[in-house]
Structures are given as C-alpha cells and as structure tokens.
Amino acid sequence: MTTQTDAAISPKPILELGTAFFAARALQAAVELELFTVLSDGPATEPEVRERLGLHERGSRDFLDALVAIGLLTREDGRYGNAPLAAQYLDQGRDSYLGGWMAMASHMLYPVWSRLSDGLRTGQPQAQGLGDDGSFPRIHQDAAFFADFTSAMDAYTGMIGPELARVFDWSQYKEFTDVGGARGNLAAILTRSHPHLGGAVFDLPNLQPLFTEHMASLGLAGKIQFHPGNFFTDALPSTQVIVFGHVLHDWDVNERRQLVQKAFEALPAGGTLLIYDRMMDDDRQDRALSLFGSLNLLLVTPGGSEYTLADCRVWLAGAGFSEVTATPILGDTETLVAARKAG
Ligand SMILES: C[S@@+](CC[C@H](N)C(=O)[O-])C[C@H]1O[C@@H](n2cnc3c(N)ncnc32)[C@H](O)[C@@H]1O
C-alpha cells in the first residue's frame, strides 16, 4: 500500500538528526587534533592548517569548511580562524576549555551510545570499564578513561565554580566540604573566590594522589583538606556546607535519599546542602540536554538518571530540610538547589 507524501514536510530534519553524530565527531576530531588551539595563534590557510596538524589533503578542506558550516570556524579570504564559541571553549590555553568533556564524549560516550537500543531493552549500563556493579572504584583503575573523566569534570567545575561562588551567599559560612569533589577543582575556585572559607573534599581514596598533585599545580598545597572515604559506607565529615555536584544523578532514587539523609545528619543547624545537576523541567519536556543526559546515565551507570526539581524537593523534605531554593545556572542547563537545615 502506498500513501501520499506531503511535500510540505521536508525530510531535512530527519536527515540532519539521523546523522547528527557527523557534526559531533567533526568537533571531537578537531579537539583531538588540537585545531582550535593551533588557530588561537591566528587565522591560517588550508595548506598551513594541514601542515601544522599533519592531515592528508584529501579530507582537510571539507573538514575545515564543515566546521565553518556548523559555526565553529570562520573563513575569510581563504584563511580559517576560530569563531568566538570555539575561541572561548575549545582553545587549551583558556580556563574555559571544554576539551576534557569532548575527549570523554569521543572516547567513552560515542561507542557507548552505539548500544543505546541494548540499554533500552535491558535497562543495563553499556559502558566498558564499569565494574560488575558499575562501581566507580573499578572505573578508577582504567588510567586512560580516568584521565578523560577527571578533565571532563574539571571542564564543568571550571564553569560552575565561579557561578556557585557568585550566586550563593557564602558570607554567613566559614567552611564547606565538596562531597564527590574529585581532584578539588571546584573547592579551589570557591576558596580562591572567598578566602575566608575553609574548604575540604570528600572522595574515594584513589582520588587523593590526583587531588594532591592538582592542588600543588594550583599553588594551593595544604590549603584544602582531603577526606578519603566512601559516601555510602563512611560518615560524611561534619561541616557547615555540603556540596553534591553531579553526584546524586549517578545513583538510583534510594541511594540519593540515603546521601541526602547523610548530608542532613552531617550538617549543624543552620547548615546548607548545595546540589547541582542537569535537572529536567518538572514536565519533562523542555530540557532536551537533560533528557539525553538522563539516557546517557542509563548507559554509563547502573541506576543513575537525571531528575526533576520536584523530585529533589521530595527527597530533601523527607530528610528534614525545610528551606529549599533553586537557581538555574550555566545558561539554564543546570539547576543549583540550596537546602537549609533549620537552626
Ligand atoms: C560525576 S563525578 C562529579 C565530580 C564533580 N563534583 C562535578 O561537579 O563534576 C562523581 C564523583 O563522585 C565520586 N564518587 C563516586 N562514588 C563515590 C563514593 N562511593 N564515595 C565517595 N565519592 C564517590 C567520584 O570519584 C567522582 O569524583
């Protein structure tokens, strides 16, 4: 049976969406080849770029022009340069460099997303390098993955840190602990922005050497404490402010409730729990980045998902938090929740 094709409905969106990974891979390859960092010295012709990056002539012109077409490069008088977006986020020389996240997308997420149908059928993570229980300690044994993972986290905390330093009123507190704070990038930004704060990181013991190295490289050796531990089996250190950044979404709902309860117990009256994640809107329809982020967590964690602010409020109230406020951050791609323990 044939049906009439409606000529007014263009197939273009399907053709573009179905191969949207072409653009993603071009961006990731450009980061891997350090194209944007090379072009930070100034615009260059195609033969110059080819020479500097060691590319074959067959694909290089198409590659560069495709990057122009998707808005990452400019081309004027035959010279290619970084568009403002690429200059700000894809040049290794900038603090705002997001290359670590692109490297993780390229090396880990791209292969994993080829198994989305399997993940949807089984409900099981599809990432290689996860332990049988999907545990982070096993992930931490894979050095190449771990390098991508830590630089991806730094890429995010490098953007979120200054915003968190600005939007939350830190003046009423003397100390904080970033739980799941990895190698301390966020803690470093917060203590530099608010020198009166005593900062600490709580994370798995195998993060400690990376933390020590990172603090030394930032000139902050000895300034921020590291508490090694497992947040499911160890008590959280007592402190005035606890941060859970990109932590709750890694775990299932019962585990999240458990972590929120532990935070409540570790805080004094008047203390605050800060949570940031890529939360969905309450109707689960607007924030496509969050919805796809949630599918990503299906593929890379045993129980994680993004969640709504309404869900988060229920867990917080269940633990005993009374005053809860929410602020959109990072251009409304993430939500920061502040929950105060009544004092
Ligand atoms: C997705 S990362 C978030 C890093 C950072 N807070 C951010 O905002 O991007 C989750 C962090 O939780 C830590 N983590 C995972 N399981 C843990 C556990 N059981 N106890 C303590 N930390 C854990 C990981 O090592 C990692 O640093």
Side-chain angles (χ1 to χ4, degrees):
M1 190 176 87
T2 57
T3 49
Q4 287 254 277
T5 301
D6 184 346
I9 303 176
S10 165
K12 192 175 171 199
I14 299 290
L15 297 174
E16 285 179 343
L17 275 175
T19 54
F21 67 91
F22 289 2
R25 294 295 292 158
L27 161 58
Q28 291 160 12
V31 170
E32 273 164 24
L33 293 163
E34 302 184 4
L35 169 66
F36 305 108
T37 305
V38 164
L39 289 180
S40 68
D41 293 344
T45 62
E46 183 267 324
E48 287 166 353
V49 173
R50 183 167 15 112
E51 163 83 23
R52 290 175 74 182
L53 267 54
L55 304 182
H56 191 280
E57 66 179 337
R58 182 165 176 219
S60 64
R61 188 169 167 216
D62 289 345
F63 177 53
L64 296 175
D65 285 336
L67 292 170
V68 173
I70 60 174
L72 295 174
L73 293 183
T74 58
R75 191 188 65 207
E76 273 173 43
D77 301 328
R79 299 181 80 78
Y80 295 89
N82 285 334
L85 191 62
Q88 178 148 332
Y89 293 112
L90 299 172
D91 165 12
Q92 269 173 38
R94 301 284 289 261
D95 287 345
S96 46
Y97 181 58
L98 287 179
W101 178 235
M102 296 301 108
M104 183 158 132
S106 173
H107 302 153
M108 181 199 182
L109 303 183
Y110 178 63
V112 167
W113 272 76
S114 70
R115 297 190 284 277
L116 177 60
S117 307
D118 292 339
L120 289 168
R121 280 194 200 100
T122 62
Q124 295 300 314
Q126 303 294 312
Q128 281 158 7
L130 283 176
D132 296 340
D133 58 353
S135 61
F136 277 84
R138 287 283 296 277
I139 282 181
H140 288 172
Q141 288 161 12
D142 178 341
F145 172 79
F146 194 44
D148 282 350
F149 190 62
T150 42
S151 58
M153 288 188 286
D154 287 355
Y156 259 96
T157 51
M159 294 187 293
I160 288 175
E163 217 167 329
L164 184 53
R166 197 178 64 247
V167 300
F168 181 66
D169 179 8
W170 291 96
S171 65
Q172 50 181 320
Y173 295 108
K174 289 198 289 252
E175 58 179 13
F176 72 91
T177 300
D178 187 11
V179 175
R183 60 177 184 164
N185 207 47
L186 182 87
I189 295 169
L190 294 179
T191 50
R192 275 187 167 158
S193 308
H194 299 283
H196 75 280
L197 284 175
V201 166
F202 179 99
D203 209 299
L204 294 165
N206 41 3
L207 266 287
Q208 190 155 10
L210 281 117
F211 168 87
T212 306
E213 185 186 296
H214 194 49
M215 291 305 110
S217 77
L218 296 174
L220 290 171
K223 295 257 187 325
I224 299 173
Q225 305 297 310
F226 188 91
H227 299 286
N230 180 325
F231 48 50
F232 290 116
T233 51
D234 298 312
L236 298 181
S238 158
T239 183
Q240 292 179 316
V241 179
I242 287 177
V243 183
F244 280 150
H246 296 152
V247 165
L248 295 189
H249 74 176
D250 286 336
W251 307 98
D252 69 30
V253 173
N254 287 334
E255 290 163 329
R256 287 174 205 162
R257 284 184 188 274
Q258 213 181 315
L259 291 174
V260 169
Q261 189 67 52
K262 279 190 125 162
F264 185 81
E265 279 151 23
L267 289 168
T272 293
L273 170 60
L274 295 174
I275 297 169
Y276 63 79
D277 263 322
R278 212 184 249 186
M279 295 180 205
M280 301 162 177
D281 67 296
D282 287 348
D283 283 344
R284 298 174 51 89
Q285 60 180 4
D286 286 336
R287 288 177 151 189
L289 206 56
S290 301
L291 293 162
F292 286 119
S294 201
L295 286 175
N296 191 51
L297 288 163
L298 162 74
L299 296 176
V300 303
T301 68
S305 66
E306 300 298 349
Y307 52 89
T308 66
L309 175 59
D311 291 334
C312 188
R313 285 183 188 278
V314 171
W315 309 326
L316 291 164
F321 287 100
S322 44
E323 298 160 46
V324 178
T325 56
T327 313
I329 55 171
L330 267 195
D332 201 16
T333 60
E334 304 250 345
T335 305
L336 172 69
V337 172
R340 194 159 182 275
K341 181 169 173 175

